[in-house]
Coordinates of all heavy atoms in Angstrom, one line a residue:
M1174 N -62.9 -1.6 2.0 CA -62.9 -3.0 2.1 C -61.5 -3.5 2.0 O -60.7 -3.2 1.2 CB -63.8 -3.5 1.0 CG -63.8 -5.0 1.0 SD -65.1 -5.5 -0.2 CE -65.4 -7.1 0.4
T1175 N -61.2 -4.4 2.9 CA -59.7 -5.0 2.9 C -59.8 -6.3 2.1 O -60.7 -7.0 2.0 CB -59.3 -5.3 4.4 OG1 -60.2 -6.3 4.9 CG2 -59.3 -4.1 5.2
T1176 N -58.6 -6.5 1.5 CA -58.4 -7.7 0.7 C -58.0 -8.8 1.6 O -57.2 -8.6 2.6 CB -57.3 -7.5 -0.5 OG1 -56.2 -7.1 0.2 CG2 -57.9 -6.4 -1.4
P1177 N -58.5 -10.0 1.4 CA -58.0 -11.2 2.2 C -56.6 -11.4 2.0 O -56.0 -11.2 1.0 CB -58.9 -12.2 1.8 CG -59.4 -11.9 0.4 CD -59.4 -10.4 0.4
K1178 N -56.0 -11.8 3.3 CA -54.5 -12.1 3.2 C -54.4 -13.4 2.5 O -55.1 -14.4 2.6 CB -53.9 -12.2 4.6 CG -53.9 -10.9 5.3 CD -53.1 -11.1 6.5 CE -52.9 -9.8 7.3 NZ -52.2 -9.9 8.5
R1179 N -53.4 -13.4 1.6 CA -53.0 -14.7 0.9 C -52.1 -15.5 1.8 O -51.1 -15.1 2.3 CB -52.3 -14.4 -0.3 CG -52.0 -15.6 -1.2 CD -51.5 -15.3 -2.5 NE -51.2 -16.6 -3.1 CZ -50.4 -16.6 -4.1 NH1 -49.8 -15.5 -4.6 NH2 -50.1 -17.9 -4.6
R1180 N -52.5 -16.7 2.1 CA -51.7 -17.7 2.9 C -50.7 -18.2 2.2 O -50.8 -18.5 0.9 CB -52.7 -18.8 3.4 CG -53.8 -18.3 4.3 CD -54.7 -19.4 4.8 NE -53.9 -20.2 5.7 CZ -54.3 -21.3 6.2 NH1 -55.6 -21.8 5.9 NH2 -53.6 -22.0 7.0
P1181 N -49.5 -18.4 2.8 CA -48.4 -19.0 2.1 C -48.6 -20.5 1.7 O -49.2 -21.1 2.5 CB -47.2 -18.8 3.0 CG -47.8 -18.6 4.3 CD -49.1 -18.1 4.1
D1182 N -48.1 -20.9 0.6 CA -48.3 -22.2 0.2 C -47.3 -23.1 1.0 O -46.1 -23.0 0.9 CB -48.0 -22.3 -1.3 CG -48.2 -23.7 -1.9 OD1 -48.5 -24.6 -1.2 OD2 -48.2 -23.8 -3.2
P1183 N -47.8 -24.1 1.7 CA -46.9 -24.9 2.5 C -45.9 -25.7 1.6 O -44.9 -26.1 2.2 CB -47.8 -25.9 3.3 CG -49.1 -25.7 2.7 CD -49.2 -24.5 1.8
R1184 N -46.3 -26.0 0.4 CA -45.4 -26.7 -0.5 C -44.0 -25.9 -0.7 O -43.0 -26.6 -1.0 CB -46.0 -27.0 -1.7 CG -47.2 -28.1 -1.6 CD -48.0 -28.3 -2.7 NE -48.6 -27.1 -3.1 CZ -49.5 -26.9 -4.1 NH1 -49.7 -28.0 -4.9 NH2 -50.1 -25.8 -4.4
D1185 N -44.1 -24.6 -0.6 CA -42.9 -23.8 -0.8 C -41.9 -24.2 0.2 O -40.6 -24.2 -0.1 CB -43.3 -22.4 -0.8 CG -44.0 -21.9 -2.0 OD1 -43.9 -22.5 -3.1 OD2 -44.7 -20.9 -2.0
T1186 N -42.3 -24.4 1.4 CA -41.4 -24.7 2.6 C -40.8 -26.1 2.3 O -39.6 -26.3 2.4 CB -42.2 -24.7 3.9 OG1 -42.7 -23.4 4.2 CG2 -41.2 -25.0 5.0
L1187 N -41.7 -27.1 1.8 CA -41.1 -28.4 1.6 C -40.1 -28.3 0.4 O -39.1 -28.9 0.4 CB -42.2 -29.3 1.2 CG -43.1 -29.7 2.4 CD1 -44.3 -30.5 1.9 CD2 -42.3 -30.5 3.3
R1188 N -40.4 -27.5 -0.7 CA -39.6 -27.5 -1.8 C -38.2 -26.9 -1.4 O -37.2 -27.4 -1.9 CB -40.2 -26.6 -2.9 CG -41.3 -27.3 -3.5 CD -41.8 -26.4 -4.8 NE -43.1 -26.8 -5.0 CZ -44.3 -26.1 -4.9 NH1 -44.2 -24.9 -4.5 NH2 -45.4 -26.5 -5.3
A1189 N -38.1 -26.0 -0.5 CA -36.9 -25.4 -0.2 C -36.1 -26.3 0.6 O -34.8 -26.3 0.7 CB -37.1 -24.1 0.6
G1190 N -36.7 -27.3 1.5 CA -35.9 -28.1 2.3 C -35.6 -29.6 2.0 O -34.9 -30.2 2.6
L1191 N -36.2 -30.0 0.8 CA -36.0 -31.4 0.4 C -34.8 -31.5 -0.5 O -34.6 -30.7 -1.3 CB -37.3 -31.9 -0.3 CG -38.6 -32.0 0.5 CD1 -39.8 -32.3 -0.4 CD2 -38.4 -32.9 1.7
P1192 N -34.1 -32.7 -0.3 CA -33.0 -32.9 -1.2 C -33.6 -33.2 -2.7 O -34.7 -33.6 -2.9 CB -32.3 -34.1 -0.7 CG -33.3 -34.8 0.2 CD -34.2 -33.7 0.7
D1193 N -32.6 -33.1 -3.6 CA -33.1 -33.4 -5.1 C -33.3 -34.9 -5.1 O -34.1 -35.3 -5.9 CB -31.9 -33.0 -6.0 CG -31.7 -31.4 -6.1 OD1 -32.7 -30.7 -5.9 OD2 -30.6 -31.0 -6.4
R1194 N -32.6 -35.7 -4.4 CA -32.7 -37.1 -4.5 C -32.5 -37.8 -3.2 O -31.5 -37.5 -2.6 CB -31.8 -37.6 -5.6 CG -31.8 -39.1 -5.8 CD -30.8 -39.5 -6.9 NE -30.7 -41.0 -7.1 CZ -30.0 -41.7 -6.4 NH1 -29.1 -41.2 -5.6 NH2 -29.9 -42.9 -6.7
Y1195 N -33.3 -38.7 -2.8 CA -33.0 -39.5 -1.5 C -32.2 -40.7 -2.0 O -32.3 -41.2 -3.1 CB -34.3 -39.9 -0.9 CG -35.0 -38.8 -0.2 CD1 -36.1 -38.1 -0.8 CD2 -34.6 -38.5 1.0 CE1 -36.7 -37.1 -0.3 CE2 -35.2 -37.4 1.6 CZ -36.3 -36.6 1.0 OH -36.8 -35.6 1.6
L1196 N -31.4 -41.2 -1.1 CA -30.6 -42.3 -1.2 C -31.2 -43.7 -1.1 O -32.1 -43.7 -0.2 CB -29.3 -42.2 -0.4 CG -28.5 -40.9 -0.5 CD1 -27.4 -40.9 0.5 CD2 -27.9 -40.8 -1.9
T1197 N -30.9 -44.6 -1.8 CA -31.4 -46.0 -1.7 C -30.4 -46.8 -1.0 O -29.2 -46.5 -0.8 CB -31.6 -46.7 -3.1 OG1 -30.4 -46.9 -3.7 CG2 -32.5 -45.7 -3.9
P1198 N -30.7 -48.0 -0.5 CA -29.8 -48.9 0.1 C -28.5 -49.3 -0.7 O -27.5 -49.3 -0.4 CB -30.6 -50.2 0.4 CG -32.0 -49.6 0.7 CD -32.1 -48.5 -0.3
D1199 N -28.9 -49.4 -2.1 CA -27.8 -49.7 -3.1 C -26.9 -48.4 -3.0 O -25.6 -48.7 -3.3 CB -28.4 -49.8 -4.5 CG -29.0 -51.2 -4.7 OD1 -28.4 -52.2 -4.0 OD2 -30.1 -51.4 -5.3
D1200 N -27.3 -47.2 -2.9 CA -26.5 -46.0 -2.9 C -25.4 -46.2 -1.7 O -24.3 -45.8 -1.8 CB -27.3 -44.7 -2.9 CG -28.0 -44.5 -4.2 OD1 -27.6 -44.9 -5.2 OD2 -29.1 -43.9 -4.0
L1201 N -26.0 -46.6 -0.6 CA -25.1 -46.7 0.6 C -24.1 -47.8 0.4 O -23.0 -47.7 0.8 CB -26.0 -47.0 1.9 CG -26.5 -45.7 2.7 CD1 -27.3 -44.8 1.8 CD2 -27.1 -46.2 3.9
V1202 N -24.6 -48.9 -0.2 CA -23.6 -50.0 -0.5 C -22.4 -49.4 -1.4 O -21.2 -49.7 -1.0 CB -24.2 -51.1 -1.3 CG1 -23.1 -52.1 -1.9 CG2 -25.2 -51.8 -0.4
T1203 N -22.8 -48.6 -2.4 CA -21.7 -48.0 -3.2 C -20.8 -47.0 -2.4 O -19.7 -47.0 -2.6 CB -22.4 -47.4 -4.5 OG1 -23.1 -48.3 -5.2 CG2 -21.3 -46.7 -5.4
M1204 N -21.5 -46.1 -1.7 CA -20.8 -45.0 -0.9 C -19.8 -45.6 0.0 O -18.7 -45.1 0.1 CB -21.8 -44.2 -0.2 CG -22.6 -43.3 -1.0 SD -23.9 -42.5 -0.1 CE -23.0 -41.4 1.0
F1205 N -20.2 -46.6 0.8 CA -19.3 -47.2 1.8 C -18.7 -48.5 1.5 O -18.1 -49.1 2.4 CB -20.1 -47.3 3.1 CG -20.8 -46.0 3.6 CD1 -22.1 -45.8 3.6 CD2 -19.9 -45.0 4.0 CE1 -22.7 -44.7 4.0 CE2 -20.5 -43.8 4.4 CZ -21.8 -43.6 4.5
S1206 N -18.7 -48.8 0.2 CA -18.1 -50.2 -0.3 C -18.5 -51.3 0.7 O -17.7 -52.1 1.1 CB -16.6 -50.0 -0.2 OG -16.2 -48.9 -1.1
L1207 N -19.8 -51.4 0.9 CA -20.3 -52.5 1.7 C -20.4 -53.8 0.9 O -20.6 -53.8 -0.3 CB -21.8 -52.1 2.2 CG -21.7 -50.8 3.1 CD1 -23.2 -50.5 3.5 CD2 -20.9 -51.1 4.3
P1208 N -20.5 -55.0 1.6 CA -20.6 -56.2 0.8 C -21.9 -56.4 0.0 O -21.9 -56.9 -1.1 CB -20.5 -57.3 1.8 CG -20.1 -56.7 3.2 CD -20.3 -55.2 3.0
S1209 N -23.1 -55.9 0.7 CA -24.3 -56.1 0.0 C -25.5 -55.1 0.7 O -25.1 -54.6 1.8 CB -24.8 -57.6 0.1 OG -25.2 -57.8 1.4
V1210 N -26.6 -55.1 0.1 CA -27.7 -54.4 0.7 C -28.1 -55.0 2.0 O -28.7 -54.3 2.9 CB -28.8 -54.1 -0.2 CG1 -28.5 -53.3 -1.3 CG2 -29.4 -55.4 -0.7
E1211 N -27.8 -56.3 2.2 CA -28.2 -56.9 3.5 C -27.5 -56.3 4.7 O -28.0 -56.3 5.8 CB -27.8 -58.5 3.4 CG -28.7 -59.2 2.3 CD -30.3 -59.0 2.6 OE1 -30.7 -59.1 3.8 OE2 -30.9 -58.8 1.7
T1212 N -26.3 -55.8 4.4 CA -25.5 -55.0 5.5 C -26.3 -53.8 5.9 O -26.5 -53.5 7.1 CB -24.2 -54.6 5.0 OG1 -23.4 -55.8 4.6 CG2 -23.4 -53.9 6.2
V1213 N -26.9 -53.1 4.9 CA -27.7 -51.8 5.2 C -29.0 -52.3 6.0 O -29.4 -51.7 7.0 CB -28.1 -51.1 3.9 CG1 -29.0 -50.0 4.3 CG2 -26.8 -50.8 3.1
Y1214 N -29.6 -53.3 5.5 CA -30.9 -53.8 6.3 C -30.5 -54.3 7.6 O -31.3 -54.1 8.6 CB -31.5 -55.0 5.5 CG -32.1 -54.5 4.1 CD1 -31.8 -55.2 2.9 CD2 -32.7 -53.3 3.9 CE1 -32.3 -55.0 1.8 CE2 -33.1 -52.9 2.7 CZ -33.0 -53.7 1.6 OH -33.4 -53.3 0.4
A1215 N -29.3 -55.0 7.9 CA -29.0 -55.4 9.2 C -28.7 -54.3 10.0 O -29.1 -54.2 11.2 CB -27.7 -56.3 9.1
W1216 N -28.1 -53.2 9.6 CA -27.8 -52.0 10.3 C -29.1 -51.3 10.8 O -29.3 -50.9 12.0 CB -27.1 -50.9 9.5 CG -25.6 -51.2 9.3 CD1 -24.8 -52.0 9.9 CD2 -24.8 -50.3 8.5 NE1 -23.5 -52.0 9.4 CE2 -23.4 -50.9 8.6 CE3 -24.9 -49.3 7.6 CZ2 -22.4 -50.4 7.9 CZ3 -23.8 -48.8 7.0 CH2 -22.6 -49.3 7.0
R1217 N -30.1 -51.4 9.9 CA -31.4 -50.8 10.2 C -32.2 -51.6 11.3 O -32.7 -51.0 12.2 CB -32.2 -50.8 8.9 CG -33.6 -50.0 9.0 CD -34.1 -49.7 7.6 NE -35.4 -49.4 7.7 CZ -35.9 -48.2 8.1 NH1 -35.1 -47.2 8.5 NH2 -37.2 -48.0 8.0
R1218 N -32.0 -52.9 11.2 CA -32.8 -53.8 12.2 C -32.1 -53.6 13.5 O -32.7 -53.6 14.5 CB -32.5 -55.2 11.9 CG -33.6 -55.7 10.8 CD -33.5 -57.3 10.7 NE -32.2 -57.8 10.4 CZ -31.7 -57.9 9.1 NH1 -32.4 -57.6 8.1 NH2 -30.6 -58.5 9.0
K1219 N -30.8 -53.4 13.6 CA -30.0 -53.2 14.9 C -30.0 -51.8 15.3 O -29.6 -51.5 16.5 CB -28.6 -53.7 14.7 CG -28.4 -55.1 14.4 CD -26.9 -55.5 14.1 CE -26.7 -56.9 13.7 NZ -25.4 -57.2 13.5
G1220 N -30.4 -50.9 14.5 CA -30.6 -49.5 14.8 C -29.1 -48.8 14.9 O -29.0 -47.9 15.6
I1221 N -28.1 -49.3 14.1 CA -26.8 -48.7 14.2 C -26.5 -48.0 12.9 O -25.3 -47.4 12.8 CB -25.8 -49.9 14.5 CG1 -25.8 -50.9 13.5 CG2 -26.0 -50.4 15.9 CD1 -24.7 -52.0 13.5
G1222 N -27.3 -47.9 12.0 CA -26.9 -47.3 10.7 C -27.5 -45.9 10.6 O -28.1 -45.4 11.5
P1223 N -27.4 -45.3 9.5 CA -27.9 -43.9 9.2 C -29.4 -44.0 9.3 O -30.1 -45.1 9.0 CB -27.4 -43.5 7.9 CG -27.1 -44.8 7.2 CD -26.7 -45.7 8.3
P1224 N -30.1 -43.0 9.8 CA -31.6 -43.0 9.9 C -32.2 -43.0 8.5 O -31.8 -42.3 7.6 CB -32.0 -41.7 10.6 CG -30.9 -40.9 10.4 CD -29.6 -41.7 10.3
G1225 N -33.2 -43.9 8.3 CA -33.9 -44.0 7.0 C -35.4 -44.0 7.3 O -35.8 -43.9 8.5
F1226 N -36.0 -43.9 6.2 CA -37.6 -44.0 6.3 C -38.2 -44.8 5.2 O -37.5 -45.1 4.2 CB -38.2 -42.6 6.3 CG -37.7 -41.8 5.1 CD1 -38.7 -41.7 4.1 CD2 -36.6 -41.1 5.0 CE1 -38.4 -41.0 2.9 CE2 -36.3 -40.4 3.8 CZ -37.2 -40.3 2.9
R1227 N -39.4 -45.2 5.3 CA -40.0 -46.1 4.3 C -40.9 -45.2 3.5 O -41.6 -44.2 3.9 CB -40.9 -47.0 5.0 CG -40.3 -48.2 5.6 CD -41.2 -49.4 5.8 NE -40.4 -50.6 6.0 CZ -39.9 -51.3 5.0 NH1 -39.9 -51.0 3.7 NH2 -39.1 -52.4 5.3
V1228 N -40.8 -45.5 2.2 CA -41.8 -44.8 1.2 C -42.5 -46.0 0.5 O -41.9 -46.8 -0.3 CB -41.1 -44.0 0.2 CG1 -42.1 -43.5 -0.9 CG2 -40.3 -42.9 0.8
G1229 N -43.6 -46.4 1.1 CA -44.3 -47.7 0.7 C -43.4 -48.8 1.1 O -43.0 -49.0 2.3
K1230 N -43.0 -49.6 0.2 CA -42.2 -50.8 0.5 C -40.6 -50.5 0.4 O -39.8 -51.4 0.7 CB -42.5 -52.0 -0.2 CG -42.3 -51.8 -1.7 CD -42.6 -53.2 -2.5 CE -42.2 -53.0 -4.0 NZ -42.4 -54.4 -4.6
Y1231 N -40.3 -49.3 0.1 CA -38.9 -49.0 -0.2 C -38.4 -48.2 1.0 O -39.0 -47.4 1.6 CB -38.8 -48.1 -1.4 CG -39.4 -48.8 -2.7 CD1 -40.6 -48.5 -3.2 CD2 -38.6 -49.8 -3.3 CE1 -41.2 -49.1 -4.2 CE2 -39.2 -50.4 -4.4 CZ -40.5 -50.1 -4.8 OH -41.0 -50.7 -5.9
I1232 N -37.0 -48.4 1.2 CA -36.3 -47.6 2.2 C -35.6 -46.5 1.5 O -34.9 -46.8 0.6 CB -35.3 -48.5 3.1 CG1 -36.2 -49.6 3.8 CG2 -34.6 -47.7 4.1 CD1 -35.3 -50.5 4.5
R1233 N -35.6 -45.3 2.1 CA -34.9 -44.1 1.6 C -34.1 -43.5 2.7 O -34.6 -43.5 3.8 CB -35.8 -43.2 0.9 CG -36.4 -43.8 -0.5 CD -35.4 -44.0 -1.5 NE -36.1 -44.6 -2.7 CZ -35.9 -45.9 -3.0 NH1 -35.4 -46.7 -2.2 NH2 -36.6 -46.2 -4.1
F1234 N -33.0 -42.8 2.3 CA -32.2 -42.1 3.2 C -32.0 -40.7 2.8 O -31.7 -40.4 1.6 CB -30.8 -42.8 3.4 CG -30.9 -44.2 3.8 CD1 -31.0 -45.2 2.9 CD2 -30.8 -44.6 5.2 CE1 -31.1 -46.6 3.3 CE2 -30.9 -45.9 5.6 CZ -31.0 -46.9 4.7
N1235 N -32.1 -39.7 3.7 CA -31.8 -38.3 3.4 C -30.2 -38.2 3.3 O -29.6 -38.5 4.3 CB -32.4 -37.5 4.6 CG -32.3 -36.0 4.3 OD1 -31.3 -35.6 3.6 ND2 -33.2 -35.2 4.6
P1236 N -29.8 -37.6 2.2 CA -28.3 -37.4 2.1 C -27.7 -36.6 3.3 O -26.6 -37.1 3.7 CB -28.1 -36.8 0.8 CG -29.4 -37.0 0.0 CD -30.5 -37.1 1.0
A1237 N -28.3 -35.7 3.8 CA -27.9 -34.9 4.8 C -27.7 -35.7 6.2 O -26.8 -35.7 6.9 CB -28.6 -33.6 5.1
A1238 N -28.7 -36.6 6.4 CA -28.7 -37.4 7.6 C -27.6 -38.5 7.5 O -26.9 -38.9 8.4 CB -30.1 -38.1 7.8
V1239 N -27.3 -39.0 6.2 CA -26.3 -40.0 6.1 C -24.9 -39.2 6.3 O -24.1 -39.9 6.9 CB -26.3 -40.6 4.7 CG1 -25.1 -41.4 4.3 CG2 -27.7 -41.4 4.5
A1240 N -24.8 -38.2 5.7 CA -23.5 -37.3 5.9 C -23.2 -37.0 7.4 O -22.2 -37.2 7.9 CB -23.6 -36.1 5.1
A1241 N -24.3 -36.6 8.2 CA -24.2 -36.4 9.6 C -23.8 -37.7 10.3 O -23.0 -37.7 11.3 CB -25.6 -35.8 10.1
W1242 N -24.5 -38.8 10.0 CA -24.3 -40.1 10.6 C -22.7 -40.6 10.3 O -22.0 -40.9 11.2 CB -25.1 -41.2 10.1 CG -24.9 -42.6 10.4 CD1 -25.1 -43.1 11.7 CD2 -24.0 -43.5 9.8 NE1 -24.6 -44.4 11.9 CE2 -24.0 -44.7 10.6 CE3 -23.4 -43.6 8.6 CZ2 -23.3 -45.9 10.2 CZ3 -22.8 -44.8 8.2 CH2 -22.7 -45.9 9.0
E1243 N -22.3 -40.3 9.1 CA -20.9 -40.6 8.7 C -19.9 -39.8 9.5 O -18.9 -40.3 10.0 CB -20.7 -40.5 7.2 CG -19.4 -41.0 6.7 CD -18.4 -39.9 6.7 OE1 -18.8 -38.7 6.6 OE2 -17.2 -40.2 6.6
A1244 N -20.2 -38.5 9.6 CA -19.3 -37.6 10.3 C -19.2 -38.1 11.9 O -18.1 -38.0 12.4 CB -19.8 -36.2 10.2
A1245 N -20.4 -38.4 12.4 CA -20.3 -38.9 13.8 C -19.5 -40.2 13.9 O -18.9 -40.4 14.9 CB -21.7 -39.1 14.3
Q1246 N -19.6 -41.0 12.9 CA -18.8 -42.3 12.9 C -17.3 -42.1 12.9 O -16.6 -42.8 13.5 CB -19.3 -43.3 11.8 CG -20.7 -43.7 11.9 CD -21.1 -44.2 13.2 OE1 -20.6 -45.2 13.6 NE2 -22.2 -43.6 13.8
T1247 N -16.9 -41.1 12.1 CA -15.6 -40.9 12.0 C -14.9 -39.9 13.0 O -13.6 -40.0 13.1 CB -15.2 -40.2 10.6 OG1 -16.0 -39.1 10.4 CG2 -15.6 -41.2 9.5
T1248 N -15.7 -39.2 13.7 CA -15.1 -38.3 14.7 C -15.3 -38.7 16.2 O -14.4 -38.3 17.0 CB -15.7 -36.8 14.6 OG1 -17.2 -36.9 14.8 CG2 -15.5 -36.3 13.3
D1249 N -16.3 -39.5 16.5 CA -16.6 -40.0 17.8 C -16.7 -41.4 17.9 O -17.7 -42.0 17.6 CB -17.9 -39.2 18.3 CG -18.2 -39.5 19.8 OD1 -17.3 -40.1 20.5 OD2 -19.3 -39.2 20.2
P1250 N -15.6 -42.1 18.4 CA -15.7 -43.6 18.5 C -16.8 -44.0 19.3 O -17.4 -45.2 19.0 CB -14.4 -43.9 19.1 CG -13.5 -42.7 19.0 CD -14.4 -41.6 18.9
A1251 N -17.3 -43.4 20.3 CA -18.4 -43.8 21.1 C -19.7 -43.8 20.4 O -20.6 -44.5 20.6 CB -18.6 -42.9 22.4
A1252 N -19.8 -42.9 19.4 CA -21.0 -42.8 18.5 C -21.3 -44.2 17.8 O -22.3 -44.6 17.5 CB -21.0 -41.7 17.5
R1253 N -20.3 -44.9 17.5 CA -20.4 -46.2 16.8 C -21.1 -47.2 17.6 O -21.9 -48.0 17.1 CB -19.0 -46.8 16.4 CG -18.5 -46.1 15.3 CD -17.1 -46.6 14.8 NE -16.1 -45.6 15.0 CZ -14.9 -45.7 15.3 NH1 -14.4 -46.9 15.5 NH2 -14.1 -44.7 15.4
L1254 N -21.0 -47.1 18.9 CA -21.6 -48.0 19.8 C -23.2 -47.6 20.0 O -23.9 -48.5 20.2 CB -21.0 -48.1 21.1 CG -19.5 -48.5 21.0 CD1 -18.8 -48.4 22.5 CD2 -19.4 -49.9 20.6
V1255 N -23.5 -46.4 19.9 CA -24.8 -45.9 20.3 C -25.7 -45.7 18.9 O -26.7 -46.0 18.9 CB -24.6 -44.6 21.0 CG1 -26.1 -44.0 21.3 CG2 -23.9 -44.8 22.3
A1256 N -25.0 -45.3 17.9 CA -25.7 -44.8 16.7 C -26.6 -46.0 16.3 O -27.7 -46.0 15.9 CB -24.8 -44.4 15.6

């Protein structure tokens, strides 16, 4: 008789790939010395800021995505117009 194969826990994959903490709009204000969170919200409405996502009524940002967006802004002037 063979023993049934144990399926891997899908949460293990998530645990390995998630950051310890997601960033808030206030974090972006501090990181980039922005005038207010309204700047972050305006970027989001215009589609020119770092990619974010909603968790209920809150907006959160993946630190890796923010770093990639920042790198694109500082290395490629054309990215500022498209990002």
Side-chain angles (χ1 to χ4, degrees):
M1174 178 169 204
T1175 61
T1176 59
K1178 288 185 179 180
R1179 184 172 173 202
R1180 297 179 66 185
D1182 186 351
R1184 293 174 293 182
D1185 289 339
T1186 302
L1187 289 174
R1188 285 185 201 113
L1191 293 176
D1193 292 334
R1194 179 177 174 273
Y1195 286 100
L1196 302 174
T1197 66
D1199 286 322
D1200 292 331
L1201 269 60
V1202 168
T1203 302
M1204 289 172 64
F1205 298 116
S1206 301
L1207 300 172
S1209 72
V1210 293
E1211 293 306 317
T1212 302
V1213 177
Y1214 297 136
W1216 284 355
R1217 190 162 160 77
R1218 280 191 305 274
K1219 295 176 184 177
I1221 59 173
F1226 60 95
R1227 286 198 164 279
V1228 178
K1230 66 178 184 176
Y1231 302 102
I1232 297 173
R1233 294 294 180 256
F1234 300 89
N1235 186 325
V1239 172
W1242 174 82
E1243 186 270 338
Q1246 299 305 304
T1247 57
T1248 59
D1249 183 9
R1253 283 183 243 150
L1254 301 174
V1255 179

